[in-house]
Amino acid sequence: MSSDRRKFIKQLGSTIVLTSASLSGFAAVEDHERRILQAEKRYSSNDRIRIATIGMGIMGFNDTKAALTCPGVELVAVCDLYQGRLQRAKEVYGANIFTTVDYHEILDRKDVDAVIIATSDNWHSTIAIAAMKKGKAVYSEKPMVHYLGEGLNEIKAQQETKAVFQVGSQRVSSIAFQKAKELYQAGAIGQINSIEASFNRQNALGAWQYTIPLDAGPQTVDWSRFQANDKTKLPYESNRFFRWRNYREYGTGVAGDLFVHLLTGIHFITNSKGPDKIYAIGGTYYWKDGRNVPDVMTAVIEYPATKEHPAFQANLRVNFISGEGERSSTKIIGSEGVINLDDDQGFTIHKSKMPLAPGIGGWDSLDTFPEAMQKTLLSNYNAKYSTADQQAVSIPGVSYHSPDGYNSSNDHFANFMDAIRTGKPVVEDAIFGFRAAAPALACNESYFNNKVIHWDAENMKVVS
């Protein structure tokens, strides 16, 4: 048994806290342990997966790091439009790493089995489709598309090429979200009726004011390639390149960057295909740095009743200047309890069940009636409902925490690599990825056009 596996199993006793009846089964934990066992396997040269990363910014470096935790995976090439990041890739991964500013050179390489696409959002779909047509497996950062109209074309490309395609919203691989899904599906909180989910931040880096290198400029940045897909060509601007998330032309704002995480988790737990009505409001209230996307956004999203779930409403919020500080939360509210997920590391379940009796007296109209009427009503009430029927039901809650050091991104990449080797399905394919991205992108459509967006989740298209 490896030291990693011993450490994981040892941690289980201290990191999973049960304050109600024992959790039924540990499928999520067992799946993670299986991946630890998989990591002990030694791969021959024929089993090795050679990857390349396109876009070596924050997510590119972090995705590459996570991918290389998988056994038998080797980085052979990287692509970026800033020369400094190509230099950094060689410093980190070795001088023999192939580097280029042209992603086509990556896709033309015979020694590349899979690509990680971690560019600005506006390039995700273009590069993903080109990569699949070149026979590469694709791991695409979220959201998988920049605009709603791109989704069906990318799904079609995946279905036609049969390429392994995974979207990088790692909550579907989190053992905490898997366990929360098991308990939700088992009826732990009764019938769902609403969800409240949010991301709060309170610092400049969290608001995407990323560090810009001192040598930034047209001499070190291939600006023409960066805006090659744009109809309007603009003069070079460092903010637009290094802080592209702040601009609609290249990013998808807080909705595409963060709402999509919340929606991924919501859809995973509820098995939902998506909402039918989306409305969003917001504004740029604090970070007045030239960005043209909101720093605070709130969305109200309505999910109709389907065979997968009853009707419910979701309220999503991102606040980039929250006095609450850095915090993420997803509260799934049911008729008998609430699942409160703290990022993708753990959750609590608070149980509360209404008494069978409806109640009488207190904040009620009873005291406004004549005394004789009150006595009769109370007598009838007590005759109909026993003392037990009149008491609130006390049910202990549940607390669950992932092991210390657990990283769901590593599991997400492990699933991607397993799919390449064995042909088994990925956990977040193009259809699931687009169904999670589409309501987030519809929030942008709603915000910028000040209207309700009606969405056909089954057929994945806007309803006129």
Side-chain angles (χ1 to χ4, degrees), residues 120-126 128-129 140-155 165 167 250-252 256 260 430 433-435 437-438 441:
S120 52
D121 297 345
N122 60 322
W123 281 101
H124 287 179
S125 189
T126 298
I129 291 173
S140 173
E141 261 306 324
K142 52 73 195 166
M144 59 181 267
V145 294
H146 191 210
Y147 296 114
L148 282 170
E150 297 173 317
L152 294 181
N153 287 336
E154 193 164 343
I155 291 170
F165 179 92
V167 181
Y250 324 112
T252 50
V260 69
F434 183 52
R435 281 181 168 149
L441 299 180

PDB file of all heavy atoms in Angstrom, residues 120-126 128-129 140-155 165 167 250-252 256 260 430 433-435 437-438 441:
ATOM      1  N   SER A 120      -7.819  32.419 -23.325  1.00  0.00           N
ATOM      2  CA  SER A 120      -8.970  33.283 -23.068  1.00  0.00           C
ATOM      3  C   SER A 120     -10.214  32.603 -23.631  1.00  0.00           C
ATOM      4  O   SER A 120     -10.140  31.793 -24.563  1.00  0.00           O
ATOM      5  CB  SER A 120      -8.761  34.659 -23.710  1.00  0.00           C
ATOM      6  OG  SER A 120      -8.413  34.537 -25.073  1.00  0.00           O
ATOM      7  N   ASP A 121     -11.369  32.924 -23.064  1.00  0.00           N
ATOM      8  CA  ASP A 121     -12.603  32.206 -23.394  1.00  0.00           C
ATOM      9  C   ASP A 121     -12.950  32.242 -24.881  1.00  0.00           C
ATOM     10  O   ASP A 121     -13.536  31.293 -25.414  1.00  0.00           O
ATOM     11  CB  ASP A 121     -13.776  32.784 -22.595  1.00  0.00           C
ATOM     12  CG  ASP A 121     -13.625  32.617 -21.097  1.00  0.00           C
ATOM     13  OD1 ASP A 121     -12.769  31.816 -20.672  1.00  0.00           O
ATOM     14  OD2 ASP A 121     -14.353  33.292 -20.347  1.00  0.00           O
ATOM     15  N   ASN A 122     -12.600  33.337 -25.538  1.00  0.00           N
ATOM     16  CA  ASN A 122     -13.003  33.489 -26.941  1.00  0.00           C
ATOM     17  C   ASN A 122     -12.310  32.516 -27.883  1.00  0.00           C
ATOM     18  O   ASN A 122     -12.719  32.368 -29.031  1.00  0.00           O
ATOM     19  CB  ASN A 122     -12.763  34.930 -27.407  1.00  0.00           C
ATOM     20  CG  ASN A 122     -11.304  35.348 -27.303  1.00  0.00           C
ATOM     21  OD1 ASN A 122     -10.614  34.971 -26.358  1.00  0.00           O
ATOM     22  ND2 ASN A 122     -10.834  36.144 -28.241  1.00  0.00           N
ATOM     23  N   TRP A 123     -11.276  31.815 -27.411  1.00  0.00           N
ATOM     24  CA  TRP A 123     -10.569  30.852 -28.247  1.00  0.00           C
ATOM     25  C   TRP A 123     -10.906  29.403 -27.916  1.00  0.00           C
ATOM     26  O   TRP A 123     -10.488  28.486 -28.624  1.00  0.00           O
ATOM     27  CB  TRP A 123      -9.052  31.065 -28.125  1.00  0.00           C
ATOM     28  CG  TRP A 123      -8.556  32.217 -28.932  1.00  0.00           C
ATOM     29  CD1 TRP A 123      -8.249  33.479 -28.495  1.00  0.00           C
ATOM     30  CD2 TRP A 123      -8.321  32.225 -30.343  1.00  0.00           C
ATOM     31  NE1 TRP A 123      -7.841  34.262 -29.543  1.00  0.00           N
ATOM     32  CE2 TRP A 123      -7.862  33.522 -30.689  1.00  0.00           C
ATOM     33  CE3 TRP A 123      -8.448  31.264 -31.353  1.00  0.00           C
ATOM     34  CZ2 TRP A 123      -7.540  33.879 -32.000  1.00  0.00           C
ATOM     35  CZ3 TRP A 123      -8.120  31.631 -32.654  1.00  0.00           C
ATOM     36  CH2 TRP A 123      -7.679  32.918 -32.963  1.00  0.00           C
ATOM     37  N   HIS A 124     -11.646  29.157 -26.836  1.00  0.00           N
ATOM     38  CA  HIS A 124     -11.902  27.780 -26.405  1.00  0.00           C
ATOM     39  C   HIS A 124     -12.486  26.916 -27.523  1.00  0.00           C
ATOM     40  O   HIS A 124     -11.966  25.842 -27.846  1.00  0.00           O
ATOM     41  CB  HIS A 124     -12.852  27.759 -25.204  1.00  0.00           C
ATOM     42  CG  HIS A 124     -12.219  28.218 -23.931  1.00  0.00           C
ATOM     43  ND1 HIS A 124     -12.913  28.288 -22.746  1.00  0.00           N
ATOM     44  CD2 HIS A 124     -10.963  28.631 -23.653  1.00  0.00           C
ATOM     45  CE1 HIS A 124     -12.115  28.725 -21.788  1.00  0.00           C
ATOM     46  NE2 HIS A 124     -10.931  28.946 -22.316  1.00  0.00           N
ATOM     47  N   SER A 125     -13.591  27.358 -28.090  1.00  0.00           N
ATOM     48  CA  SER A 125     -14.315  26.534 -29.050  1.00  0.00           C
ATOM     49  C   SER A 125     -13.537  26.361 -30.353  1.00  0.00           C
ATOM     50  O   SER A 125     -13.472  25.255 -30.910  1.00  0.00           O
ATOM     51  CB  SER A 125     -15.687  27.149 -29.332  1.00  0.00           C
ATOM     52  OG  SER A 125     -16.482  26.269 -30.094  1.00  0.00           O
ATOM     53  N   THR A 126     -12.940  27.434 -30.841  1.00  0.00           N
ATOM     54  CA  THR A 126     -12.181  27.365 -32.099  1.00  0.00           C
ATOM     55  C   THR A 126     -11.070  26.323 -32.010  1.00  0.00           C
ATOM     56  O   THR A 126     -10.912  25.470 -32.900  1.00  0.00           O
ATOM     57  CB  THR A 126     -11.573  28.745 -32.430  1.00  0.00           C
ATOM     58  OG1 THR A 126     -12.625  29.690 -32.613  1.00  0.00           O
ATOM     59  CG2 THR A 126     -10.724  28.671 -33.689  1.00  0.00           C
ATOM     60  N   ALA A 128     -10.711  23.928 -29.683  1.00  0.00           N
ATOM     61  CA  ALA A 128     -11.226  22.589 -29.340  1.00  0.00           C
ATOM     62  C   ALA A 128     -11.696  21.846 -30.581  1.00  0.00           C
ATOM     63  O   ALA A 128     -11.384  20.660 -30.764  1.00  0.00           O
ATOM     64  CB  ALA A 128     -12.355  22.708 -28.330  1.00  0.00           C
ATOM     65  N   ILE A 129     -12.448  22.516 -31.430  1.00  0.00           N
ATOM     66  CA  ILE A 129     -12.950  21.864 -32.650  1.00  0.00           C
ATOM     67  C   ILE A 129     -11.790  21.476 -33.555  1.00  0.00           C
ATOM     68  O   ILE A 129     -11.743  20.356 -34.095  1.00  0.00           O
ATOM     69  CB  ILE A 129     -13.942  22.786 -33.381  1.00  0.00           C
ATOM     70  CG1 ILE A 129     -15.231  22.920 -32.555  1.00  0.00           C
ATOM     71  CG2 ILE A 129     -14.258  22.253 -34.776  1.00  0.00           C
ATOM     72  CD1 ILE A 129     -16.219  23.932 -33.102  1.00  0.00           C
ATOM     73  N   SER A 140     -10.988  21.020 -22.104  1.00  0.00           N
ATOM     74  CA  SER A 140     -11.276  22.433 -22.339  1.00  0.00           C
ATOM     75  C   SER A 140     -11.645  23.127 -21.040  1.00  0.00           C
ATOM     76  O   SER A 140     -12.537  22.669 -20.319  1.00  0.00           O
ATOM     77  CB  SER A 140     -12.425  22.594 -23.339  1.00  0.00           C
ATOM     78  OG  SER A 140     -12.807  23.947 -23.446  1.00  0.00           O
ATOM     79  N   GLU A 141     -10.958  24.215 -20.759  1.00  0.00           N
ATOM     80  CA  GLU A 141     -11.354  25.015 -19.606  1.00  0.00           C
ATOM     81  C   GLU A 141     -12.783  25.528 -19.797  1.00  0.00           C
ATOM     82  O   GLU A 141     -13.274  25.679 -20.910  1.00  0.00           O
ATOM     83  CB  GLU A 141     -10.398  26.188 -19.404  1.00  0.00           C
ATOM     84  CG  GLU A 141      -9.340  25.935 -18.341  1.00  0.00           C
ATOM     85  CD  GLU A 141      -9.931  25.523 -16.999  1.00  0.00           C
ATOM     86  OE1 GLU A 141     -11.001  26.033 -16.619  1.00  0.00           O
ATOM     87  OE2 GLU A 141      -9.321  24.677 -16.333  1.00  0.00           O
ATOM     88  N   LYS A 142     -13.425  25.807 -18.676  1.00  0.00           N
ATOM     89  CA  LYS A 142     -14.782  26.349 -18.719  1.00  0.00           C
ATOM     90  C   LYS A 142     -14.723  27.856 -18.915  1.00  0.00           C
ATOM     91  O   LYS A 142     -13.707  28.487 -18.577  1.00  0.00           O
ATOM     92  CB  LYS A 142     -15.554  25.964 -17.458  1.00  0.00           C
ATOM     93  CG  LYS A 142     -14.844  26.301 -16.142  1.00  0.00           C
ATOM     94  CD  LYS A 142     -14.838  27.760 -15.811  1.00  0.00           C
ATOM     95  CE  LYS A 142     -13.859  28.121 -14.743  1.00  0.00           C
ATOM     96  NZ  LYS A 142     -13.637  29.590 -14.682  1.00  0.00           N
ATOM     97  N   PRO A 143     -15.786  28.473 -19.440  1.00  0.00           N
ATOM     98  CA  PRO A 143     -16.869  27.790 -20.145  1.00  0.00           C
ATOM     99  C   PRO A 143     -16.368  27.292 -21.485  1.00  0.00           C
ATOM    100  O   PRO A 143     -15.466  27.893 -22.078  1.00  0.00           O
ATOM    101  CB  PRO A 143     -17.919  28.894 -20.314  1.00  0.00           C
ATOM    102  CG  PRO A 143     -17.105  30.154 -20.401  1.00  0.00           C
ATOM    103  CD  PRO A 143     -15.941  29.951 -19.468  1.00  0.00           C
ATOM    104  N   MET A 144     -16.922  26.204 -21.964  1.00  0.00           N
ATOM    105  CA  MET A 144     -16.390  25.588 -23.187  1.00  0.00           C
ATOM    106  C   MET A 144     -16.605  26.456 -24.420  1.00  0.00           C
ATOM    107  O   MET A 144     -15.944  26.262 -25.440  1.00  0.00           O
ATOM    108  CB  MET A 144     -17.000  24.209 -23.409  1.00  0.00           C
ATOM    109  CG  MET A 144     -18.506  24.182 -23.526  1.00  0.00           C
ATOM    110  SD  MET A 144     -19.167  22.528 -23.768  1.00  0.00           S
ATOM    111  CE  MET A 144     -19.244  22.427 -25.559  1.00  0.00           C
ATOM    112  N   VAL A 145     -17.511  27.425 -24.330  1.00  0.00           N
ATOM    113  CA  VAL A 145     -17.758  28.336 -25.455  1.00  0.00           C
ATOM    114  C   VAL A 145     -17.812  29.771 -24.931  1.00  0.00           C
ATOM    115  O   VAL A 145     -18.063  30.020 -23.750  1.00  0.00           O
ATOM    116  CB  VAL A 145     -19.067  28.003 -26.197  1.00  0.00           C
ATOM    117  CG1 VAL A 145     -18.955  26.650 -26.882  1.00  0.00           C
ATOM    118  CG2 VAL A 145     -20.266  28.037 -25.251  1.00  0.00           C
ATOM    119  N   HIS A 146     -17.611  30.705 -25.838  1.00  0.00           N
ATOM    120  CA  HIS A 146     -17.661  32.130 -25.520  1.00  0.00           C
ATOM    121  C   HIS A 146     -19.083  32.664 -25.648  1.00  0.00           C
ATOM    122  O   HIS A 146     -19.518  33.505 -24.856  1.00  0.00           O
ATOM    123  CB  HIS A 146     -16.717  32.874 -26.469  1.00  0.00           C
ATOM    124  CG  HIS A 146     -16.463  34.296 -26.089  1.00  0.00           C
ATOM    125  ND1 HIS A 146     -16.181  35.274 -27.018  1.00  0.00           N
ATOM    126  CD2 HIS A 146     -16.434  34.929 -24.887  1.00  0.00           C
ATOM    127  CE1 HIS A 146     -15.981  36.425 -26.405  1.00  0.00           C
ATOM    128  NE2 HIS A 146     -16.134  36.253 -25.109  1.00  0.00           N
ATOM    129  N   TYR A 147     -19.801  32.163 -26.644  1.00  0.00           N
ATOM    130  CA  TYR A 147     -21.176  32.606 -26.894  1.00  0.00           C
ATOM    131  C   TYR A 147     -22.106  31.403 -27.010  1.00  0.00           C
ATOM    132  O   TYR A 147     -21.685  30.297 -27.391  1.00  0.00           O
ATOM    133  CB  TYR A 147     -21.256  33.430 -28.176  1.00  0.00           C
ATOM    134  CG  TYR A 147     -20.467  34.722 -28.124  1.00  0.00           C
ATOM    135  CD1 TYR A 147     -19.363  34.912 -28.950  1.00  0.00           C
ATOM    136  CD2 TYR A 147     -20.829  35.742 -27.252  1.00  0.00           C
ATOM    137  CE1 TYR A 147     -18.626  36.102 -28.907  1.00  0.00           C
ATOM    138  CE2 TYR A 147     -20.110  36.927 -27.197  1.00  0.00           C
ATOM    139  CZ  TYR A 147     -19.010  37.095 -28.019  1.00  0.00           C
ATOM    140  OH  TYR A 147     -18.284  38.265 -27.959  1.00  0.00           O
ATOM    141  N   LEU A 148     -23.375  31.622 -26.707  1.00  0.00           N
ATOM    142  CA  LEU A 148     -24.371  30.547 -26.756  1.00  0.00           C
ATOM    143  C   LEU A 148     -24.410  29.857 -28.112  1.00  0.00           C
ATOM    144  O   LEU A 148     -24.571  28.643 -28.199  1.00  0.00           O
ATOM    145  CB  LEU A 148     -25.763  31.115 -26.436  1.00  0.00           C
ATOM    146  CG  LEU A 148     -26.067  31.386 -24.962  1.00  0.00           C
ATOM    147  CD1 LEU A 148     -27.365  32.171 -24.833  1.00  0.00           C
ATOM    148  CD2 LEU A 148     -26.150  30.084 -24.194  1.00  0.00           C
ATOM    149  N   GLY A 149     -24.254  30.632 -29.185  1.00  0.00           N
ATOM    150  CA  GLY A 149     -24.372  30.066 -30.527  1.00  0.00           C
ATOM    151  C   GLY A 149     -23.282  29.099 -30.913  1.00  0.00           C
ATOM    152  O   GLY A 149     -23.398  28.408 -31.940  1.00  0.00           O
ATOM    153  N   GLU A 150     -22.221  28.984 -30.114  1.00  0.00           N
ATOM    154  CA  GLU A 150     -21.120  28.083 -30.442  1.00  0.00           C
ATOM    155  C   GLU A 150     -21.316  26.665 -29.923  1.00  0.00           C
ATOM    156  O   GLU A 150     -20.638  25.736 -30.364  1.00  0.00           O
ATOM    157  CB  GLU A 150     -19.806  28.631 -29.866  1.00  0.00           C
ATOM    158  CG  GLU A 150     -19.375  29.963 -30.426  1.00  0.00           C
ATOM    159  CD  GLU A 150     -18.160  30.528 -29.704  1.00  0.00           C
ATOM    160  OE1 GLU A 150     -18.127  30.447 -28.446  1.00  0.00           O
ATOM    161  OE2 GLU A 150     -17.256  31.034 -30.393  1.00  0.00           O
ATOM    162  N   GLY A 151     -22.218  26.482 -28.970  1.00  0.00           N
ATOM    163  CA  GLY A 151     -22.312  25.211 -28.258  1.00  0.00           C
ATOM    164  C   GLY A 151     -22.647  24.006 -29.112  1.00  0.00           C
ATOM    165  O   GLY A 151     -21.980  22.970 -29.050  1.00  0.00           O
ATOM    166  N   LEU A 152     -23.701  24.109 -29.921  1.00  0.00           N
ATOM    167  CA  LEU A 152     -24.145  22.952 -30.703  1.00  0.00           C
ATOM    168  C   LEU A 152     -23.107  22.545 -31.736  1.00  0.00           C
ATOM    169  O   LEU A 152     -22.951  21.345 -32.033  1.00  0.00           O
ATOM    170  CB  LEU A 152     -25.486  23.255 -31.363  1.00  0.00           C
ATOM    171  CG  LEU A 152     -26.668  23.442 -30.402  1.00  0.00           C
ATOM    172  CD1 LEU A 152     -27.949  23.706 -31.181  1.00  0.00           C
ATOM    173  CD2 LEU A 152     -26.839  22.225 -29.494  1.00  0.00           C
ATOM    174  N   ASN A 153     -22.361  23.507 -32.294  1.00  0.00           N
ATOM    175  CA  ASN A 153     -21.320  23.171 -33.260  1.00  0.00           C
ATOM    176  C   ASN A 153     -20.202  22.376 -32.611  1.00  0.00           C
ATOM    177  O   ASN A 153     -19.650  21.436 -33.208  1.00  0.00           O
ATOM    178  CB  ASN A 153     -20.745  24.444 -33.893  1.00  0.00           C
ATOM    179  CG  ASN A 153     -21.695  25.083 -34.876  1.00  0.00           C
ATOM    180  OD1 ASN A 153     -22.568  24.423 -35.434  1.00  0.00           O
ATOM    181  ND2 ASN A 153     -21.553  26.380 -35.090  1.00  0.00           N
ATOM    182  N   GLU A 154     -19.865  22.737 -31.383  1.00  0.00           N
ATOM    183  CA  GLU A 154     -18.801  22.004 -30.689  1.00  0.00           C
ATOM    184  C   GLU A 154     -19.261  20.599 -30.298  1.00  0.00           C
ATOM    185  O   GLU A 154     -18.504  19.634 -30.397  1.00  0.00           O
ATOM    186  CB  GLU A 154     -18.338  22.782 -29.461  1.00  0.00           C
ATOM    187  CG  GLU A 154     -17.053  22.243 -28.877  1.00  0.00           C
ATOM    188  CD  GLU A 154     -16.391  23.234 -27.930  1.00  0.00           C
ATOM    189  OE1 GLU A 154     -16.731  24.438 -27.959  1.00  0.00           O
ATOM    190  OE2 GLU A 154     -15.523  22.797 -27.164  1.00  0.00           O
ATOM    191  N   ILE A 155     -20.507  20.485 -29.857  1.00  0.00           N
ATOM    192  CA  ILE A 155     -21.065  19.159 -29.551  1.00  0.00           C
ATOM    193  C   ILE A 155     -21.065  18.289 -30.807  1.00  0.00           C
ATOM    194  O   ILE A 155     -20.694  17.106 -30.773  1.00  0.00           O
ATOM    195  CB  ILE A 155     -22.490  19.295 -28.975  1.00  0.00           C
ATOM    196  CG1 ILE A 155     -22.433  19.934 -27.582  1.00  0.00           C
ATOM    197  CG2 ILE A 155     -23.183  17.941 -28.914  1.00  0.00           C
ATOM    198  CD1 ILE A 155     -23.792  20.322 -27.033  1.00  0.00           C
ATOM    199  N   PHE A 165     -13.523  14.235 -24.883  1.00  0.00           N
ATOM    200  CA  PHE A 165     -13.668  15.673 -24.628  1.00  0.00           C
ATOM    201  C   PHE A 165     -14.193  15.867 -23.219  1.00  0.00           C
ATOM    202  O   PHE A 165     -15.250  15.344 -22.867  1.00  0.00           O
ATOM    203  CB  PHE A 165     -14.633  16.297 -25.646  1.00  0.00           C
ATOM    204  CG  PHE A 165     -14.863  17.777 -25.454  1.00  0.00           C
ATOM    205  CD1 PHE A 165     -14.091  18.699 -26.125  1.00  0.00           C
ATOM    206  CD2 PHE A 165     -15.859  18.227 -24.600  1.00  0.00           C
ATOM    207  CE1 PHE A 165     -14.295  20.064 -25.953  1.00  0.00           C
ATOM    208  CE2 PHE A 165     -16.074  19.578 -24.412  1.00  0.00           C
ATOM    209  CZ  PHE A 165     -15.292  20.508 -25.090  1.00  0.00           C
ATOM    210  N   VAL A 167     -14.809  18.900 -20.093  1.00  0.00           N
ATOM    211  CA  VAL A 167     -14.818  20.299 -19.685  1.00  0.00           C
ATOM    212  C   VAL A 167     -14.250  20.400 -18.279  1.00  0.00           C
ATOM    213  O   VAL A 167     -14.491  19.555 -17.420  1.00  0.00           O
ATOM    214  CB  VAL A 167     -16.245  20.883 -19.740  1.00  0.00           C
ATOM    215  CG1 VAL A 167     -16.232  22.356 -19.333  1.00  0.00           C
ATOM    216  CG2 VAL A 167     -16.829  20.721 -21.135  1.00  0.00           C
ATOM    217  N   TYR A 250     -13.104  39.033 -24.881  1.00  0.00           N
ATOM    218  CA  TYR A 250     -12.232  37.859 -24.707  1.00  0.00           C
ATOM    219  C   TYR A 250     -12.729  36.908 -23.615  1.00  0.00           C
ATOM    220  O   TYR A 250     -12.454  35.712 -23.671  1.00  0.00           O
ATOM    221  CB  TYR A 250     -10.810  38.318 -24.356  1.00  0.00           C
ATOM    222  CG  TYR A 250     -10.408  39.588 -25.053  1.00  0.00           C
ATOM    223  CD1 TYR A 250     -10.222  40.779 -24.334  1.00  0.00           C
ATOM    224  CD2 TYR A 250     -10.258  39.628 -26.439  1.00  0.00           C
ATOM    225  CE1 TYR A 250      -9.878  41.960 -24.976  1.00  0.00           C
ATOM    226  CE2 TYR A 250      -9.918  40.814 -27.085  1.00  0.00           C
ATOM    227  CZ  TYR A 250      -9.729  41.975 -26.356  1.00  0.00           C
ATOM    228  OH  TYR A 250      -9.400  43.138 -26.992  1.00  0.00           O
ATOM    229  N   GLY A 251     -13.445  37.445 -22.638  1.00  0.00           N
ATOM    230  CA  GLY A 251     -13.916  36.625 -21.528  1.00  0.00           C
ATOM    231  C   GLY A 251     -15.427  36.582 -21.445  1.00  0.00           C
ATOM    232  O   GLY A 251     -16.132  37.122 -22.309  1.00  0.00           O
ATOM    233  N   THR A 252     -15.922  35.986 -20.395  1.00  0.00           N
ATOM    234  CA  THR A 252     -17.366  35.852 -20.198  1.00  0.00           C
ATOM    235  C   THR A 252     -17.806  36.423 -18.851  1.00  0.00           C
ATOM    236  O   THR A 252     -18.881  36.104 -18.356  1.00  0.00           O
ATOM    237  CB  THR A 252     -17.786  34.380 -20.311  1.00  0.00           C
ATOM    238  OG1 THR A 252     -16.941  33.578 -19.476  1.00  0.00           O
ATOM    239  CG2 THR A 252     -17.677  33.889 -21.741  1.00  0.00           C
ATOM    240  N   GLY A 256     -19.689  33.670 -16.807  1.00  0.00           N
ATOM    241  CA  GLY A 256     -19.018  32.559 -17.463  1.00  0.00           C
ATOM    242  C   GLY A 256     -17.872  31.989 -16.661  1.00  0.00           C
ATOM    243  O   GLY A 256     -17.541  30.807 -16.783  1.00  0.00           O
ATOM    244  N   VAL A 260     -20.728  29.511 -13.808  1.00  0.00           N
ATOM    245  CA  VAL A 260     -20.664  28.197 -14.445  1.00  0.00           C
ATOM    246  C   VAL A 260     -20.213  27.126 -13.448  1.00  0.00           C
ATOM    247  O   VAL A 260     -20.660  25.976 -13.519  1.00  0.00           O
ATOM    248  CB  VAL A 260     -19.749  28.226 -15.692  1.00  0.00           C
ATOM    249  CG1 VAL A 260     -18.291  28.409 -15.308  1.00  0.00           C
ATOM    250  CG2 VAL A 260     -19.933  26.979 -16.534  1.00  0.00           C
ATOM    251  N   ALA A 430     -19.269  17.127 -23.562  1.00  0.00           N
ATOM    252  CA  ALA A 430     -19.638  18.380 -24.224  1.00  0.00           C
ATOM    253  C   ALA A 430     -21.078  18.779 -23.934  1.00  0.00           C
ATOM    254  O   ALA A 430     -21.374  19.969 -23.751  1.00  0.00           O
ATOM    255  CB  ALA A 430     -19.398  18.250 -25.728  1.00  0.00           C
ATOM    256  N   GLY A 433     -21.273  19.911 -20.316  1.00  0.00           N
ATOM    257  CA  GLY A 433     -20.531  21.162 -20.211  1.00  0.00           C
ATOM    258  C   GLY A 433     -21.278  22.341 -20.792  1.00  0.00           C
ATOM    259  O   GLY A 433     -21.290  23.433 -20.212  1.00  0.00           O
ATOM    260  N   PHE A 434     -21.935  22.118 -21.933  1.00  0.00           N
ATOM    261  CA  PHE A 434     -22.678  23.228 -22.542  1.00  0.00           C
ATOM    262  C   PHE A 434     -23.938  23.525 -21.755  1.00  0.00           C
ATOM    263  O   PHE A 434     -24.322  24.696 -21.602  1.00  0.00           O
ATOM    264  CB  PHE A 434     -23.014  22.908 -23.997  1.00  0.00           C
ATOM    265  CG  PHE A 434     -23.726  24.030 -24.710  1.00  0.00           C
ATOM    266  CD1 PHE A 434     -23.210  25.319 -24.701  1.00  0.00           C
ATOM    267  CD2 PHE A 434     -24.929  23.809 -25.366  1.00  0.00           C
ATOM    268  CE1 PHE A 434     -23.872  26.363 -25.345  1.00  0.00           C
ATOM    269  CE2 PHE A 434     -25.594  24.842 -26.016  1.00  0.00           C
ATOM    270  CZ  PHE A 434     -25.057  26.119 -26.000  1.00  0.00           C
ATOM    271  N   ARG A 435     -24.589  22.490 -21.230  1.00  0.00           N
ATOM    272  CA  ARG A 435     -25.809  22.736 -20.457  1.00  0.00           C
ATOM    273  C   ARG A 435     -25.517  23.491 -19.162  1.00  0.00           C
ATOM    274  O   ARG A 435     -26.390  24.181 -18.629  1.00  0.00           O
ATOM    275  CB  ARG A 435     -26.515  21.410 -20.163  1.00  0.00           C
ATOM    276  CG  ARG A 435     -27.318  20.909 -21.363  1.00  0.00           C
ATOM    277  CD  ARG A 435     -28.034  19.615 -21.079  1.00  0.00           C
ATOM    278  NE  ARG A 435     -29.004  19.333 -22.129  1.00  0.00           N
ATOM    279  CZ  ARG A 435     -29.364  18.116 -22.520  1.00  0.00           C
ATOM    280  NH1 ARG A 435     -28.833  17.045 -21.918  1.00  0.00           N
ATOM    281  NH2 ARG A 435     -30.254  17.946 -23.470  1.00  0.00           N
ATOM    282  N   ALA A 437     -22.799  25.667 -19.051  1.00  0.00           N
ATOM    283  CA  ALA A 437     -22.312  26.970 -19.507  1.00  0.00           C
ATOM    284  C   ALA A 437     -23.433  27.855 -20.038  1.00  0.00           C
ATOM    285  O   ALA A 437     -23.419  29.077 -19.838  1.00  0.00           O
ATOM    286  CB  ALA A 437     -21.251  26.776 -20.588  1.00  0.00           C
ATOM    287  N   ALA A 438     -24.399  27.249 -20.715  1.00  0.00           N
ATOM    288  CA  ALA A 438     -25.423  28.034 -21.403  1.00  0.00           C
ATOM    289  C   ALA A 438     -26.207  28.966 -20.473  1.00  0.00           C
ATOM    290  O   ALA A 438     -26.376  30.158 -20.797  1.00  0.00           O
ATOM    291  CB  ALA A 438     -26.370  27.104 -22.159  1.00  0.00           C
ATOM    292  N   LEU A 441     -23.958  31.899 -19.641  1.00  0.00           N
ATOM    293  CA  LEU A 441     -23.823  32.837 -20.755  1.00  0.00           C
ATOM    294  C   LEU A 441     -25.138  33.578 -21.002  1.00  0.00           C
ATOM    295  O   LEU A 441     -25.139  34.748 -21.408  1.00  0.00           O
ATOM    296  CB  LEU A 441     -23.385  32.085 -22.010  1.00  0.00           C
ATOM    297  CG  LEU A 441     -22.033  31.360 -21.905  1.00  0.00           C
ATOM    298  CD1 LEU A 441     -21.705  30.658 -23.214  1.00  0.00           C
ATOM    299  CD2 LEU A 441     -20.922  32.325 -21.524  1.00  0.00           C
TER     300      LEU A 441
END
